[in-house]
């Protein structure tokens, strides 16, 4: 399946020196990405990369910028959100049967397997955008709406919140 926002850079065009690549999603691609990631809208998605061949794969470093509209997790109200994320990726050949897998340190680059004869910088930008977004965005009035619905806040529901409720009951009976 081809991703909604695909920008393939062929492996045979990537050398040992940094090559700048800019990708930008058009209106139809942004609408499809909004559906895929459950967003109200993706108003802008673009990325600037410097790509180069390195030992062990292809490095892609740069920045992803986006403007999206998410739905408040409580009220459903539209919430604008901005993404401005640094990117440091390594595209690697898939491990073949019998080959030893590489163990990466915790601070290693994010790795993506190379599929076919190229790397997909559009999909890398789209995934970076999605991962940078708040998974449970809340509008300024979300706490009031939850309280009105009888949902306890974290402080009220925690251990000390229960003790405060018990204390209030005991004081009321004294």
């Amino acid at each position: 399946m081809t991703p909604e926002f695909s920008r393939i850079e062929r492996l045979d065009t990537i050398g040992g020196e940094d090559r700048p690549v800019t990708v930008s999603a058009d209106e139809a691609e942004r609408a499809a990405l909004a559906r895929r990631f459950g967003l109200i809208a993706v108003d802008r998605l673009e990325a600037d990369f410097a790509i180069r061949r390195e030992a062990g794969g292809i490095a892609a470093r740069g920045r992803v910028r986006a403007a999206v509209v998410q739905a408040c997790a409580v009220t459903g109200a539209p919430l604008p959100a901005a993404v401005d994320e640094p990117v440091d990726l390594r595209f690697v050949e898939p491990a073949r049967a019998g080959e030893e897998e590489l163990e990466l340190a915790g601070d290693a680059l994010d790795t993506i397997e190379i599929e076919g004869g190229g790397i997909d910088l559009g999909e890398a930008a789209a995934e970076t955008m999605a991962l940078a977004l708040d998974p449970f965005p809340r509008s300024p009035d979300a706490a009031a709406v939850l309280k009105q619905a009888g949902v306890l806040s974290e402080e009220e529901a925690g251990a000390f919140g229960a003790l405060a409720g018990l204390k209030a009951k005991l004081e009321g009976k004294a």
Side-chain angles (χ1 to χ4, degrees):
M1 180 180 98
T2 302
E4 303 87 344
F5 175 42
S6 183
R7 297 294 186 278
I8 304 292
E9 290 293 320
R10 289 187 5 220
L11 295 178
D12 62 0
T13 67
I14 303 170
E17 299 295 321
D18 279 353
R19 179 165 59 90
V21 178
T22 298
V23 297
S24 182
D26 67 26
E27 186 176 346
E29 292 165 332
R30 293 190 316 266
L33 288 168
R35 285 189 299 276
R36 174 176 160 193
F37 295 123
L39 301 169
I40 295 172
V42 176
D43 296 325
R44 178 174 60 100
L45 174 57
E46 58 193 29
D48 295 309
F49 295 99
I51 60 173
R52 72 183 307 164
R53 188 172 298 277
E54 292 184 348
I58 306 295
R61 293 176 179 88
R63 191 154 219 90
V64 172
R65 291 170 307 285
V68 304
V69 180
Q70 295 180 273
C72 171
V74 175
T75 66
L79 294 171
V83 171
D84 188 356
E85 281 291 307
V87 179
D88 206 352
L89 303 171
R90 180 173 313 272
F91 291 85
V92 297
E93 293 290 340
R96 292 178 186 88
E99 283 188 11
E100 203 172 304
E101 285 192 29
L102 291 173
E103 286 294 323
L104 299 174
D107 62 345
L109 305 175
D110 289 331
T111 59
I112 302 171
E113 281 192 0
I114 295 172
E115 294 180 15
I119 61 173
D120 193 342
L121 296 177
E123 179 62 9
E127 289 178 5
T128 298
M129 174 198 70
L131 290 170
L133 294 172
D134 182 348
F136 302 105
R138 289 191 172 193
S139 64
D141 63 339
V145 170
L146 287 171
K147 187 172 187 111
Q148 189 176 40
V151 177
L152 298 177
S153 69
E154 288 183 28
E155 295 82 27
E156 295 169 326
F160 293 112
L163 291 174
L166 179 60
K167 179 181 177 189
K169 285 182 183 180
L170 291 173
E171 288 174 352
K173 291 183 179 180

